[in-house]
Amino acid sequence: MYQIVPVAPGEQQMAGGAGGSPMKKKLSREGRPLVAAGILGCVLVVAAVVAWCYYSASLRKAQLLKAELLELDKDGFVIHNQAGAVIFSMNFRSGTLDLDSCSKERNILSCSRSGSGKLNFFIQTVRLKDTVMCYRVRWEELQSKRLVEHAMAYNDSHWYGGAETATQHWPIRMQGEEEPQPFITSDVYSNRNAFGGILERYWLSSNATAIKINDSVPFHLGWSEKDRTLRFQARYEDSPFRPPEGQQALPELSYRVCVGSDVTSIHKYMVRRYFPKPIKVPSPEVFKQPVWSTWALHKTAVTQEKLLRYASDITKYGFTCSHLELDDRYTADYGEFDFDPQKFPNASGMFDKLREDGFQVSLWTHPFINYDSINFGVAVEKGLFVREPSGELPALVRWWNGIGGILDFTNPEAREWYSSHLRMIKTRYDVTSFKFDAGETSYLPRQFSTHVPLSDPSTFTRRYTEMAIPFSERAELRVGYQSQDISCFFRIIDRDSVWGYELGLKSIIPTVLTISILGYQFVLPDMIGGNAYPNRTAAGLDGKNVLPDRELYIRWLELSAFMPAMQFSIPPWAYDNEVVQIALKFTGLHETLVAPRVLELAGKVLDTGDPIIRPLWWIAKDDEAAYKIDSQFLIGDDLMVAPVLEPGKQERDIYLPAGRWRSYKGEHFDKGPMYLTDYPVDLDEIAFFTWVH
């Protein structure tokens, strides 16, 4: 029986006579102490005046170094809330201000010198509305070419945002001591310590503060678990960032800190002001019906026969399909745009058959052309590749399928060449769209040159995402940087078939919440059960790991049913009939219960940018417990989901924020906030609750 546990809700002056001369000597001797006392009095008066002047100057300086709720000193600044508590603090790690060089004019506090020389420093206060105060901060070195670093303290609050990571926690949990690294898109499947393929220079705090690093900053991020700080650093030395052409490599760290009344409202403000929005909602069919991919099931061994059998089985077992996704590898060599005749002897006939059976098909694509492809020489001749720093030779890069060149998407000719080949294969076979793989800057050479010079390497990621625009109705990307206005689906990086936080089942909710906070709402949560990679798959009861563990697969399926879109590869019938029946139940529940809500919210994203998948604190703004929960989420404001994410469990603890809730079993709870301890959830169930108005 589960249990309901309520939550428990600062010397007198002497007169001189006019006596005669006989007394003169005596008076002279006796008057000496009085003269000394007078001099001492004068000194004390002067000292008092000087002290008062100094005190007055200090008061004026103290007033000078305040701006609204912000206080500046030589080592950093703090921001208070209306009650006087410190809610944000930043420490200047790379230098100190010379306060004698500081001045204040209206709402701008500026300083012209640091301990190491001239600089341009200012904090501009901007009151944007009654409930939002923003501070524009800029530290620009004018002499030193070394780095600028500021360290932001946690201030006993919880932080969210930044980047997709391999081990994802919600809120952010920085472990160990990490020197600042380039904050650029990377493949975190192959490099587990890097920043991921979807990232933005934006963080949000439960203290109702948010920070956005400016685009112009050569930005590096580090942290200290011991000091409980995030380290924001600007530098060009030993860095892939480059100063804009014609400018000196003088580092500049600039950012905006905004303070609001609560965490939800300040996030809404930041998204509306600083993030681009999608211009349309992708295909409703992808929100309603599952995508079926060949990847986890067949890997690179996919053939025409296997694809047709896969499609036939989808129909045979009674499942719906938004589209089939033909993944790696259907071409003879990487960098080609037609079917390998050995593996797909009658591609046109195959597409006719699939179309006749009601299937649409999308194809896998990527930015690489391997050196053994017939297109490699064409791309070299046309100058389509990213080049060596000299700009004369194409740069060779290593990726997971070999060695080749990477197309330069800053070059209009390369963009048109790539797009024209996609259009050609789309037209020839009536392909519905493409899965755009890779795109991270980690696949660029350490030193490189592009047609349009890149100050920020992650701009390459943005240019790659733009290639999906013509196909966005059903297109899929796995990278994003300032790409929120690319109106397609964004897939989180490949998951391993394991339970834990490192690319496992437990990482899905924290990752989806994180990229949602970064402005990416049309989310594909990757394939149900993970990718079944050898040595990265939890063994089943039989001790084998050819398939993902059966229980893991079922729990993964249940969670995916409450995500914006579902994606299968390992099919339910690879297990047994019970798994097939559970899968049919949850694909049906997704289509009837989840998809209508998601589509309604997706339409609102175009105007607001608000998340579809939301953290519990979205509706529980002052609830400390809600800030820390990483295994529950909301769809909109009124549907809360609590999946089982532990092996061998058919119960879990569930947190209900304040309000009236009705469970999927019909129970009513209206005395929240509360914990439901050991709430029973059978293997073929997922706990979800509807907020009752």
Side-chain angles (χ1 to χ4, degrees):
M1 182 64 185
Y2 67 89
Q3 182 181 2
I4 299 174
V5 183
V7 179
E11 246 164 313
Q12 289 183 349
Q13 189 174 357
M14 294 183 65
S21 57
M23 297 290 293
K24 196 169 183 180
K25 276 187 168 182
K26 184 177 179 184
L27 284 171
S28 177
R29 284 196 305 270
E30 291 178 353
R32 285 172 186 167
L34 292 174
V35 172
I39 293 171
L40 179 60
C42 290
V43 169
L44 289 173
V45 168
V46 170
V49 169
V50 170
W52 173 254
C53 293
Y54 183 80
Y55 175 68
S56 299
S58 298
L59 280 178
R60 287 195 297 274
K61 178 64 74 175
Q63 289 303 117
L64 165 69
L65 299 180
K66 288 185 179 180
E68 293 286 346
L69 300 170
L70 179 143
E71 291 183 12
L72 173 71
D73 68 21
K74 64 183 178 64
D75 298 312
F77 65 90
V78 297
I79 301 172
H80 300 267
N81 61 15
Q82 295 290 350
V86 173
I87 55 170
F88 184 90
S89 56
M90 190 73 85
N91 180 48
F92 305 147
R93 281 179 59 101
S94 56
T96 58
L97 292 174
D98 178 351
L99 297 183
D100 289 333
S101 74
C102 299
S103 61
K104 185 177 181 182
E105 186 173 341
R106 293 196 300 275
N107 64 332
I108 299 178
L109 205 164
S110 59
C111 306
S112 58
R113 290 194 311 276
S114 69
S116 58
K118 292 181 180 179
L119 85 160
N120 173 23
F121 173 86
F122 71 78
I123 298 179
Q124 180 182 14
T125 305
V126 184
R127 182 179 284 280
L128 295 152
K129 47 196 280 192
D130 288 344
T131 56
V132 177
M133 180 79 74
C134 288
Y135 304 89
R136 293 178 57 217
V137 183
R138 181 185 182 94
W139 183 304
E140 181 184 15
E141 290 288 346
L142 298 179
Q143 290 179 312
S144 171
K145 291 188 177 182
R146 61 195 190 91
L147 57 85
V148 179
E149 183 179 324
H150 296 176
M152 182 182 77
Y154 279 26
N155 283 316
D156 297 322
S157 62
H158 308 288
W159 286 87
Y160 314 92
E164 177 186 20
T165 53
T167 302
Q168 197 92 47
H169 292 288
W170 179 272
I172 293 169
R173 190 188 304 171
M174 295 301 187
Q175 296 175 317
E177 309 298 305
E178 185 69 34
E179 288 298 311
Q181 302 296 324
F183 193 69
I184 54 178
T185 58
S186 301
D187 179 351
V188 289
Y189 193 85
S190 59
N191 183 357
R192 303 274 167 123
N193 295 318
F195 304 113
I198 299 175
L199 56 71
E200 300 293 336
R201 303 169 167 201
Y202 171 70
W203 287 267
L204 175 71
S205 153
S206 59
N207 271 348
T209 56
I211 183 167
K212 178 87 165 57
I213 310 295
N214 288 354
D215 297 345
S216 57
V217 175
F219 182 53
H220 299 66
L221 177 69
W223 57 84
S224 170
E225 182 181 14
K226 177 172 63 72
D227 297 335
R228 292 186 56 77
T229 56
L230 286 178
R231 297 171 59 185
F232 300 147
Q233 190 181 93
R235 73 169 193 261
Y236 290 113
E237 293 180 357
D238 188 29
S239 169
F241 290 91
R242 297 287 173 265
E245 279 196 295
Q247 294 188 20
Q248 284 187 285
L250 295 170
E252 161 236 325
L253 181 58
S254 58
Y255 48 87
R256 296 164 190 263
V257 180
C258 292
V259 181
S261 57
D262 61 75
V263 61
T264 303
S265 64
I266 193 62
H267 176 67
K268 286 185 174 188
Y269 170 80
M270 298 295 285
V271 168
R272 282 158 178 72
R273 188 166 181 88
Y274 298 118
F275 288 178
K277 314 292 184 301
I279 58 172
K280 63 178 182 178
V281 176
S283 169
E285 295 308 306
V286 183
F287 288 107
K288 294 176 184 175
Q289 299 177 350
V291 177
W292 294 79
S293 168
T294 61
W295 174 246
L297 179 62
H298 292 303
K299 304 295 193 296
T300 57
V302 67
T303 63
Q304 177 175 317
E305 181 186 355
K306 289 176 180 177
L307 180 62
L308 288 170
R309 188 185 315 129
Y310 192 44
S312 174
D313 284 344
I314 291 168
T315 303
K316 171 184 169 183
Y317 285 99
F319 289 93
T320 57
C321 173
S322 64
H323 61 266
L324 282 170
E325 197 169 73
L326 177 52
D327 211 298
D328 181 11
R329 107 184 225 189
Y330 57 88
T331 60
D333 292 302
Y334 293 108
E336 294 171 14
F337 296 87
D338 208 347
F339 286 84
D340 179 349
Q342 300 295 318
K343 299 174 75 177
F344 295 84
N346 184 8
S348 294
M350 178 188 74
F351 275 91
D352 289 342
K353 169 65 173 164
L354 290 170
R355 208 161 30 250
E356 183 183 312
D357 292 341
F359 288 95
Q360 298 193 60
V361 182
S362 69
L363 298 178
W364 177 73
T365 186
H366 54 83
F368 308 103
I369 300 177
N370 278 11
Y371 68 88
D372 55 357
S373 164
I374 56 172
N375 282 328
F376 186 83
V378 175
V380 170
E381 185 180 337
K382 290 179 177 287
L384 305 182
F385 286 135
V386 172
R387 299 179 172 230
E388 297 285 358
S390 67
E392 295 177 6
L393 296 171
L396 289 179
V397 299
R398 182 181 296 278
W399 64 297
W400 67 90
N401 278 326
I403 296 172
I406 185 167
L407 290 168
D408 179 1
F409 294 106
T410 74
N411 182 348
E413 286 189 35
R415 294 165 71 92
E416 176 53 32
W417 184 88
Y418 182 63
S419 287
S420 67
H421 280 79
L422 295 181
R423 289 195 302 269
M424 178 191 69
I425 196 170
K426 184 179 192 299
T427 302
R428 179 180 296 173
Y429 299 106
D430 195 20
V431 170
T432 189
S433 192
F434 297 93
K435 170 185 176 177
F436 291 83
D437 215 349
E440 297 91 349
T441 61
S442 55
Y443 288 109
L444 293 171
R446 175 95 178 139
Q447 302 291 331
F448 65 91
S449 64
T450 46
H451 180 79
V452 176
L454 298 178
S455 296
D456 179 351
S458 293
T459 304
F460 181 86
T461 293
R462 164 69 200 189
R463 295 290 167 263
Y464 180 58
T465 63
E466 291 166 357
M467 305 312 297
I469 292 174
F471 316 102
S472 62
E473 190 76 0
R474 292 173 186 254
E476 171 188 325
L477 285 159
R478 78 174 199 188
V479 292
Y481 176 66
Q482 301 176 356
S483 306
Q484 296 93 336
D485 57 346
I486 309 294
S487 306
C488 69
F489 290 90
F490 287 85
R491 176 177 65 88
I492 64 177
I493 195 70
D494 301 23
R495 302 289 114 173
D496 288 328
S497 299
V498 296
W499 289 90
Y501 283 103
E502 184 179 324
L503 296 178
L505 178 61
K506 285 185 183 176
S507 72
I508 292 177
I509 295 173
T511 304
V512 172
L513 288 174
T514 296
I515 67 172
S516 295
I517 286 296
L518 299 179
Y520 298 89
Q521 311 308 344
F522 308 141
V523 181
L524 270 176
D526 200 41
M527 297 167 202
I528 290 165
N531 285 265
Y533 292 128
N535 304 320
R536 296 192 182 277
T537 298
L541 294 174
D542 58 359
K544 299 177 181 177
N545 59 3
V546 178
L547 288 175
D549 172 62
R550 181 179 184 271
E551 182 189 8
L552 173 70
Y553 183 89
I554 292 170
R555 293 306 192 191
W556 206 304
L557 159 67
E558 292 163 355
L559 170 58
S560 291
F562 284 81
M563 287 287 153
M566 299 180 73
Q567 192 172 27
F568 282 102
S569 185
I570 302 288
W573 54 87
Y575 295 92
D576 52 50
N577 185 58
E578 183 186 11
V579 176
V580 170
Q581 295 307 311
I582 293 172
L584 286 169
K585 169 184 171 180
F586 278 97
T587 53
L589 191 64
H590 176 83
E591 187 165 354
T592 57
L593 174 68
V594 178
R597 290 171 183 264
V598 167
L599 280 166
E600 181 184 352
L601 293 162
K604 296 177 180 176
V605 167
L606 311 186
D607 296 323
T608 67
D610 288 349
I612 294 172
I613 303 299
R614 301 174 180 176
L616 261 58
W617 51 250
W618 194 266
I619 60 166
K621 304 174 183 66
D622 299 315
D623 188 335
E624 178 65 21
Y627 291 134
K628 296 182 284 188
I629 289 176
D630 67 352
S631 63
Q632 298 173 222
F633 60 93
L634 296 161
I635 303 174
D637 285 348
D638 58 0
L639 180 60
M640 189 188 69
V641 187
V644 173
L645 304 174
E646 298 277 357
K649 297 286 187 182
Q650 296 202 18
E651 69 284 322
R652 64 155 293 167
D653 294 347
I654 296 172
Y655 185 71
L656 295 180
R660 300 176 63 205
W661 296 93
R662 183 179 67 248
S663 79
Y664 68 107
K665 300 176 182 179
E667 306 150 307
H668 286 263
F669 305 94
D670 58 5
K671 295 180 181 177
M674 67 178 71
Y675 282 102
L676 307 180
T677 60
D678 295 328
Y679 186 84
V681 187
D682 290 343
L683 182 61
D684 65 345
E685 294 181 327
I686 186 172
F688 61 93
F689 299 77
T690 307
W691 194 69
V692 182
H693 295 275

